[in-house]
Amino acid sequence: MPGAGRARPRLIYKEALVHLLVQSIGFGVAAGAVLALGAVGFTLQFGISNVLNISYGSLMSVGAFLGLFMLGLGLNIWLVMVIGGLAVGACSVVLNRGLITPLVRKGMAPFGLVIVTVSAGIVLEYVIVAVAGPATQTYGNRSGATLNFLGWTLTTAQVVIFAITVVLMLGLHLLLTRTQLGRAMRATSANRTLARSCGIATSRISDIAWFMSGTFCGMAGIALAITIESFDFTLGSIFLIPMIAAAVLGGVGQPYGAMIGGMVVGIVSSVSSAYWDPAYQSVVAFGIIIVMLLVRPRGLFGSATATRKLLA
Amino acid sequence: MSSTPAGGPGSAPVAEALAGTSKSGAGDGPILRVASLSRQYGGVRAVDGVSFELLPGTITGIIGPNGAGKSTVLTVVSGFISPSAGTIEFLGRDVTRLPMHRRAQMGLVRTFQIARVFEGLTAIENLMVAVPQQRSLTPMGLLRGKRYWRSEEQEILERAWTLMNTFGMADKANEKAGRLSGGQRRAVEIMRALMMRPKLLLVDEPMAGLNPKLSRELEDVFLSLREQGLSILIIEHELDTVERICSEVLVMAWGKVIARGEMAELRTRKEVQDAYVVG
Amino acid sequence: MANLAYIVVIAAGAYTYGILTLGPDTGNGGFQQYVLGYRLPFFVAVIAAAVAGAVVGVLIGVTGLKRIRQDYQAMVMLVISIMAATVIGAAPSFLGGEPGLSLIPNPFANLSPATGDWAYVAMVAFACVVGYLVMRRFTSGPMGRALRAMRDDEHAAAAMGFSIVKMRLLTQAVGGAFGGVSGALLVAFIGGWSPGAWAYVETLALLTAVIVGGMGNDFGVSLGTFVIAVLLLQGVQFLPQIRSHTGLTEAIGWMTLGILTIAFLWLRPQGVFRERRPRYGQPAVGNAGGGEVAEGHG
């Protein structure tokens, strides 16, 4: 709705515009939940293994298509989300063990690894095409009853996904701060060599990070497939841009940053698409990436460690 | 580096390789003047109000315990990072805001603490590339092709070979630099710096990792370069080396210059000993 | 470093050529919308495409000027390339939006189809030869040496007085001009261009060609491109069609491409043809005025 209300009486439309704002923030929060889920997985794995995994988007598509398959078997949608997540987590570990770790050991430069993950992502995408075909798919209408809350109109599915995200984020927070494993993960993320010399099995920590990342990825893929009407094999690679934006905004490698980044990107794109042409929604995400890159590459919440990691 | 006794016959080729280096870049004044230079990393002051001057044709050493800020001084002077405060004058001109490559073109050339060579190029190509304002790299050179730059290229090649022979590396000239040993890389890096006809050379621990024989030869190279009018600012841990080649020494600790003078005299000073013990 | 947004440069050339030769958008029944709409002669449009490619190349290059990890930059390039296609697709009145441009006139339209195709082949061959000669200016001799030095270690190159910004933008501009011309030649032949034609996966095809051929070897890259373009992307069409699976042959092509890239990076990162460096002999004794003499004194 470009230029809405410009030439019209302002007072009447002001109320409508405020309502639009409130409503779009609601949508933004719902979209942000999925984004945060995906972005946290992306950033967690990067923070710990120090490899940018571009095939993350394709893994997300794999999750969505696995979900489609399981729905066909008649499983409950939320059960599908859990199983699909764990399955993608397993794929992610295989990717790390079979491809990334051997190449890192061979001393491949980070740039080479990006090309490898891009290639792996394309292979995965076309495996989906070979198995399920290139056609557009849908989970059918899974949104459930409509709920009204704080002036927001949301579907049950959106609320459940939001709740799942909150629970997972809380769980991740407790894991990182309260357990021995979490401390080991944070240590590995801050300084891998030092962590190893302190007796932390960094390669196992890496595997765990890839598994968690893949699980988040798969769940986000299925959540995304639930909330949008239809999708095809490019689902994840398109969604990768706002996810990268969320991760970059919060500081790549910072799980808490990605949570907040996901929310911010979700709300900002939703609000902007309410007032501007929705086709340009991802332009906002793109703008965030470029501005952050040029102005503050370490992200809003990035530490000095993050800076050291990102500067050449 | 097997053939360069100081001031002996070996210095002639070095002189030739350096031909064009003027002894009096800025008259009789200092070649480099650094005034109240500071550099902060986060909240830490790595360099805190350092001032010094270098005269043409001198070798000045910087010593001090680890973390004293020696390398930071060198890095800031070279232009690789910018200072938080203070000024740097080179050849009488304020270069504080000048990017690294412009300072290098003026004759302020650095080497790196860990020798950095262009691994995909051969040793001699590493030298030949180190003439940034060659005609072949200008738009004119690209347009008109070989005829325009052939004679200059030939001259660059000859200078590179002269250095290669001086440093005893002739047999490695066409070897990829990535396959060279640590000492050979160091040699390539220093030759590469000399190809640029520097007026001031900044070297960061050039002797590290060299065997005693090689480092003595490198000392001789530095001394013969000084004879040609080149100034050198050197960071070095080995105090005997410093005593042999440096006319003046700055002692740094906690980001500050805590003492300066001749090495022999500095060894006896209490604050210098304290800095080393504490650091 | 390879530019992962290179396909955007090619697209820029293709669109530029399109809007400069299509004529006003009210023509052809006015079913498509786009800006400009001139009917310029072929060569003018190709030159404009080269300029457009160079400009876009430099603009993309600017984002790479920050001192940031290479993989991080690569990610940004990919994002740029996906975004450019999205934005163009979303703006129907600028460059035809998602459906793109079509009915771009063939420069040899007044020849018979068969003659026209051969004329096109001849023109592309001519462009390749010219391109190869121009490229040699940059990849051989002192310029190639300097560029390779910068590739190996930018900081050390800057410490030797090279302006990294200038050299990077120069390479982006030259690379961009090449991409622009290739885009223009491509649409002159296929006659249409839309965002679907330049998805980011197409960049992988270019990259595979370079990696397989050998990154530092001009001949290797040319051969790699030929092999990838002819054997893989076109060759899969000759596989027996499996009717029940639409898109399967295309999928096989892309999967092979991805696997080939990974396999080469893993097993033979230098490519089929490795980078060769020139050997330099010693100048004759006496000529250098001391090279040999110094050795004698040692």
Side-chain angles (χ1 to χ4, degrees):
Chain A
M1 37 212 76
R6 195 167 291 157
R8 298 162 193 161
R10 281 208 178 157
L11 278 174
I12 303 166
Y13 279 88
K14 200 172 170 188
E15 213 168 83
L17 282 177
V18 170
H19 178 72
L20 186 64
L21 178 68
V22 171
Q23 185 58 47
S24 61
I25 289 177
F27 280 135
V29 170
V34 182
L35 259 176
L37 195 59
V40 166
F42 180 77
T43 220
L44 188 71
Q45 173 269 317
F46 172 75
I48 288 170
S49 70
N50 213 7
V51 173
L52 276 175
N53 179 15
I54 305 293
S55 64
Y56 193 79
S58 309
L59 280 172
M60 214 162 154
S61 306
V62 170
F65 275 84
L66 278 177
L68 187 71
F69 173 72
M70 286 188 282
L71 283 177
L73 298 178
L75 294 179
N76 172 278
I77 181 76
W78 307 114
L79 184 64
V80 162
M81 195 161 156
V82 173
I83 301 175
L86 294 176
V88 174
C91 291
S92 178
V93 172
V94 170
L95 182 71
N96 176 41
R97 274 285 146 139
L99 193 62
I100 307 297
T101 307
L103 288 174
V104 170
R105 291 227 173 96
K106 278 193 75 178
M108 181 176 273
F111 182 71
L113 286 170
V114 170
I115 298 178
V116 167
T117 59
V118 170
S119 308
I122 288 174
V123 172
L124 278 176
E125 273 187 7
Y126 283 95
V127 166
I128 297 178
V129 174
V131 175
T136 305
Q137 305 285 352
T138 173
Y139 280 8
N141 188 0
R142 304 266 167 190
S143 42
T146 308
L147 304 172
N148 282 302
F149 175 68
L150 287 176
W152 296 345
T153 310
L154 297 171
T155 63
T156 312
Q158 281 174 324
V159 174
V160 174
I161 288 170
F162 184 78
I164 290 176
T165 305
V166 170
V167 169
L168 282 174
M169 295 298 117
L170 274 177
L172 180 67
H173 169 71
L174 293 177
L175 175 81
L176 286 177
T177 52
R178 299 288 159 83
T179 66
Q180 195 61 40
L181 173 65
R183 272 189 287 276
M185 289 176 89
R186 284 186 297 148
T188 310
S189 172
N191 189 331
R192 199 183 177 86
T193 326
L194 194 61
R196 191 179 302 133
S197 64
C198 293
I200 295 172
T202 50
S203 65
R204 219 187 68 217
I205 298 293
S206 225
D207 280 342
I208 293 171
W210 279 83
F211 179 72
M212 287 172 58
S213 153
T215 308
F216 283 2
C217 172
M219 293 181 78
I222 293 171
L224 187 62
I226 294 171
T227 49
I228 65 176
E229 278 136 38
S230 62
F231 60 93
D232 67 2
F233 65 100
T234 61
L235 171 84
S237 3
I238 294 168
F239 200 64
L240 191 61
I241 292 184
M243 269 189 317
I244 289 177
V248 167
L249 187 67
V252 181
Q254 309 281 314
Y256 300 112
M259 294 178 199
I260 298 166
M263 279 298 161
V264 171
V265 173
I267 292 171
V268 170
S269 359
S270 168
V271 169
S272 70
S273 70
Y275 292 95
W276 197 26
D277 192 337
Y280 289 114
Q281 192 171 354
S282 48
V283 174
V284 176
F286 175 65
I288 290 174
I289 296 176
I290 297 296
V291 169
M292 289 308 289
L293 171 81
L294 294 176
V295 179
R296 199 180 156 87
R298 65 165 116 154
L300 292 181
F301 311 102
S303 55
T305 325
T307 317
R308 257 207 312 284
K309 276 184 155 182
L310 286 177
L311 294 185
Chain B
M1 275 169 244
S2 59
S3 58
T4 317
S11 64
V14 176
E16 188 183 319
L18 281 171
T21 306
S22 64
K23 262 183 196 178
S24 48
D28 293 329
I31 188 165
L32 182 78
R33 180 184 282 134
V34 171
S36 30
L37 195 72
S38 295
R39 168 71 202 196
Q40 292 178 317
Y41 287 114
V44 187
R45 280 183 171 241
V47 174
D48 189 2
V50 167
S51 303
F52 60 91
E53 288 181 354
L54 301 184
L55 293 171
T58 57
I59 300 182
T60 307
I62 304 183
I63 62 170
N66 287 328
K70 306 181 299 283
S71 283
T72 309
V73 168
L74 210 77
T75 318
V76 172
V77 169
S78 76
F80 189 63
I81 54 177
S82 52
S84 318
T87 56
I88 303 158
E89 263 179 50
F90 180 60
L91 299 174
R93 184 178 160 196
D94 185 355
V95 297
T96 316
R97 298 273 150 242
L98 227 50
M100 176 157 67
H101 69 270
R102 294 286 303 283
R103 296 185 204 191
Q105 287 168 10
M106 288 173 70
L108 177 57
V109 178
R110 73 171 294 193
T111 65
F112 292 85
Q113 192 167 6
I114 299 159
R116 291 169 84 157
V117 294
F118 302 118
E119 305 200 341
L121 301 182
T122 61
I124 195 155
E125 279 187 303
N126 262 274
L127 269 58
M128 294 175 71
V129 81
V131 185
Q133 279 156 332
Q134 43 190 294
R135 297 176 93 175
S136 47
L137 303 183
T138 60
M140 203 58 167
L142 284 170
L143 274 177
R144 292 184 43 188
K146 228 176 203 166
R147 259 166 313 166
Y148 183 68
W149 45 259
R150 187 184 286 134
S151 65
E152 189 195 50
E153 174 83 353
Q154 188 61 34
E155 184 213 313
I156 292 170
L157 179 65
E158 281 165 17
R159 282 210 296 139
W161 268 114
T162 310
L163 278 169
M164 279 285 175
N165 286 320
T166 314
F167 279 72
M169 294 253 310
D171 53 330
K172 299 283 179 200
N174 283 308
E175 189 98 15
K176 277 222 177 131
R179 298 215 195 100
L180 298 178
S181 71
Q184 291 164 340
R185 281 164 184 247
R186 179 82 63 195
V188 165
E189 202 189 26
I190 288 169
M191 287 189 280
R192 201 174 63 194
L194 295 180
M195 280 298 284
M196 297 184 63
R197 297 195 165 109
K199 297 186 174 67
L200 170 60
L201 199 57
L202 309 172
V203 280
D204 197 347
E205 299 197 19
M207 314 297 183
L210 298 191
N211 67 41
K213 180 169 170 286
L214 276 177
S215 50
R216 282 307 279 266
E217 281 170 7
L218 192 54
E219 282 175 27
D220 293 340
V221 169
F222 286 147
L223 286 171
S224 71
L225 288 171
R226 190 189 62 187
E227 297 302 311
Q228 316 306 323
L230 182 73
S231 302
I232 300 173
L233 182 61
I234 179 171
I235 295 177
E236 184 50 56
H237 269 298
E238 191 50 63
L239 297 185
D240 293 337
T241 300
V242 173
E243 185 160 0
R244 277 192 295 271
I245 64 172
C246 297
S247 46
E248 198 197 4
V249 177
L250 308 172
V251 186
M252 283 189 70
W254 312 289
K256 291 185 163 70
V257 175
I258 55 163
R260 62 184 82 198
E262 280 179 33
M263 192 64 231
E265 183 242 345
L266 282 173
R267 278 181 194 270
T268 62
R269 296 250 284 264
K270 190 173 180 308
E271 67 263 35
V272 176
Q273 290 165 354
D274 284 351
Y276 266 90
V277 172
V278 175
Chain C
M1 186 181 114
N3 179 355
L4 291 185
Y6 196 67
I7 198 73
V8 177
V9 171
I10 295 180
Y15 278 121
T16 307
Y17 180 85
I19 57 176
L20 290 181
T21 55
L22 258 172
D25 55 9
T26 47
N28 291 326
F31 71 96
Q32 47 182 355
Q33 280 190 316
Y34 43 85
V35 293
L36 295 174
Y38 297 113
R39 270 186 222 281
L40 296 179
F42 172 73
F43 283 105
V44 179
V46 168
I47 289 167
V51 173
V55 169
V56 172
V58 168
L59 285 180
I60 294 171
V62 168
T63 58
L65 288 180
K66 274 256 178 180
R67 268 191 221 160
I68 292 183
R69 282 169 56 132
Q70 283 194 345
D71 50 351
Y72 206 71
Q73 279 182 15
M75 177 180 82
V76 173
M77 293 288 173
L78 273 178
V79 170
I80 288 178
S81 122
I82 298 172
M83 276 319 300
T86 313
V87 171
I88 300 290
S93 58
F94 177 42
L95 292 168
E98 202 56 59
L101 304 176
S102 53
L103 296 174
I104 295 169
N106 188 309
F108 305 110
N110 47 357
L111 300 175
S112 75
T115 332
D117 282 357
W118 283 113
Y120 180 78
V121 170
M123 179 187 72
V124 170
F126 175 72
C128 286
V129 171
V130 172
Y132 190 79
L133 291 178
V134 174
M135 218 29 144
R136 290 295 294 175
R137 283 273 158 106
F138 286 91
T139 56
S140 69
M143 191 68 192
R145 194 166 63 203
L147 291 174
R148 280 164 221 263
M150 197 182 76
R151 173 201 64 189
D152 282 356
D153 190 336
E154 284 197 348
H155 296 153
M160 286 170 10
F162 285 104
S163 167
I164 298 305
V165 174
K166 229 160 98 183
M167 303 238 327
R168 268 208 183 181
L169 294 184
L170 172 76
T171 48
Q172 294 287 357
V174 173
F178 272 76
V181 171
S182 73
L185 295 181
L186 187 63
V187 288
F189 182 64
I190 57 180
W193 192 246
S194 67
W198 49 289
Y200 78 101
V201 286
E202 311 281 339
T203 306
L204 183 76
L206 299 175
L207 214 55
T208 310
V210 173
I211 288 167
V212 170
M215 228 168 275
N217 189 304
D218 296 343
F219 174 72
V221 170
S222 316
L223 196 79
T225 314
F226 188 76
V227 169
I228 296 301
V230 173
L231 292 187
L232 265 174
L233 297 182
Q234 303 304 319
V236 288
Q237 292 175 0
F238 297 104
L239 287 176
Q241 285 281 348
I242 303 160
R243 289 269 165 240
S244 58
H245 271 81
T246 45
L248 182 64
T249 48
E250 195 204 347
I252 291 174
W254 285 114
M255 278 154 64
T256 320
L257 211 62
I259 293 167
L260 202 62
T261 311
I262 295 174
F264 261 87
L265 283 175
W266 193 325
L267 302 171
R268 198 178 163 84
Q270 71 272 41
V272 175
F273 299 92
R274 49 170 78 238
E275 183 176 331
R276 299 223 172 276
R277 300 308 312 152
R279 297 185 64 84
Y280 288 100
Q282 287 243 33
V285 187
N287 190 9
E292 296 290 319
V293 181
E295 198 72 2
H297 279 287

